[in-house]
Amino acid sequence: MAEGLRERKKRQTRQHISDVATRLFVEHGFVTVTIAEVAEAADVSVNTVYNYFPAKEDLFLDRSADVTDRLSRWVRGRRPGESAAAAVLRELRAAVEGMSPAVGLFEGYADFMKVIVEADTLRSRLWAIQQESLLDLVGTMRAEGGAAEGDMLPDLVAGQLAWLHGTLMGWIGAEMVKRRKPDQVSREALVLIDEMEELLSEKVLDYAVRGG
């Protein structure tokens, strides 16, 4: 269905507030900037900010829902004849080759990460998002793999795929914080993906193959 005018305005307002907040956090630090200052800079009320972002951390990590669902979304969208792991590997390679901001391959990533490193609450929130993503993936793997009660294999496969994603993201982040060029990091990240794939067992690589 096409996005309605009201929904579009709400989305645009939410994005505007987030963009303004991110700019202020990068310039002045997460702890220093207040919600009132964000509201004033975005030309909205404090209540409006809270209507869109229940917590201050949501203003900076505003795409947490997308991150939480990312691996599960890739698994659910796997192609006929493709396993869960193959789908995740394919999507990761596409994101890295395309230098997607979703995997941290953009100029200014070092400034983005500096905000997180300097704020304990943001680091805690980021860890919580990673745990939510793993739990979400476990549920998806159990459903997609048709696992029987007590079968731990889908949980173990989910852990391996979460490790793959987390290790890649951590490595890219560490390299981008050095203010390296995204295209250079992208090329090396593709090699890293190949090396990690070689460490996955056949059980992981062949789990939950979608029927043709």
Side-chain angles (χ1 to χ4, degrees):
M1 293 178 63
E3 182 181 41
L5 177 61
R6 186 167 181 271
E7 289 73 21
R8 183 167 68 253
K9 283 189 173 182
K10 288 176 66 175
R11 176 177 56 79
Q12 291 172 341
T13 298
R14 186 182 192 280
Q15 189 61 55
H16 171 65
I17 295 171
S18 176
D19 289 345
V20 169
T22 297
R23 175 176 56 80
L24 291 175
F25 294 149
V26 168
E27 291 176 355
H28 306 291
F30 182 79
V31 175
T32 304
V33 177
T34 66
I35 294 294
E37 289 171 333
V38 171
E40 181 179 2
D43 196 24
V44 298
S45 70
V46 169
N47 284 341
T48 297
V49 175
Y50 278 118
N51 284 340
Y52 286 98
F53 303 95
K56 185 179 177 182
E57 289 75 21
D58 296 326
L59 282 162
F60 195 68
L61 299 173
D62 62 312
R63 298 179 181 176
S64 60
D66 176 72
V67 174
T68 298
D69 184 57
R70 179 186 293 171
L71 292 174
S72 287
R73 193 169 63 249
W74 289 349
V75 170
R76 290 192 301 268
R78 67 196 185 284
R79 300 165 178 171
E82 190 173 50
S83 69
V88 169
L89 287 162
R90 172 174 55 78
E91 292 282 3
L92 281 175
R93 286 188 172 102
V96 170
E97 283 184 312
M99 290 185 285
S100 170
V103 291
L105 290 168
F106 62 92
E107 299 286 354
Y109 183 80
D111 298 321
F112 180 85
M113 282 304 300
K114 183 174 183 290
V115 176
I116 295 176
V117 169
E118 293 177 348
D120 291 342
T121 57
L122 283 177
R123 292 202 305 275
S124 296
R125 183 58 174 274
L126 194 59
W127 181 86
I129 290 171
Q130 293 167 345
Q131 297 310 300
E132 290 168 12
S133 176
L134 175 57
L135 289 175
D136 187 77
L137 181 60
V138 167
T140 298
M141 295 300 295
R142 297 194 68 81
E144 295 293 320
E149 186 175 351
D151 182 2
M152 288 300 296
L153 184 56
D155 302 55
L156 298 175
V157 173
Q160 291 289 294
L161 298 182
W163 161 78
L164 182 83
H165 178 263
T167 299
L168 179 68
M169 293 293 291
W171 184 85
I172 289 175
E175 294 305 304
M176 292 301 294
V177 164
K178 299 173 186 176
R179 299 191 182 277
R180 297 185 61 198
K181 293 295 183 182
D183 59 335
Q184 296 173 343
V185 177
S186 171
R187 288 193 294 271
E188 293 175 22
L190 288 172
V191 175
L192 179 60
I193 293 174
D194 290 342
E195 292 175 345
M196 288 192 291
E197 181 177 5
E198 291 177 357
L199 296 176
L200 299 178
S201 71
E202 287 187 14
K203 270 193 174 181
V204 174
L205 292 171
D206 294 339
Y207 190 77
V209 174
R210 170 155 287 161

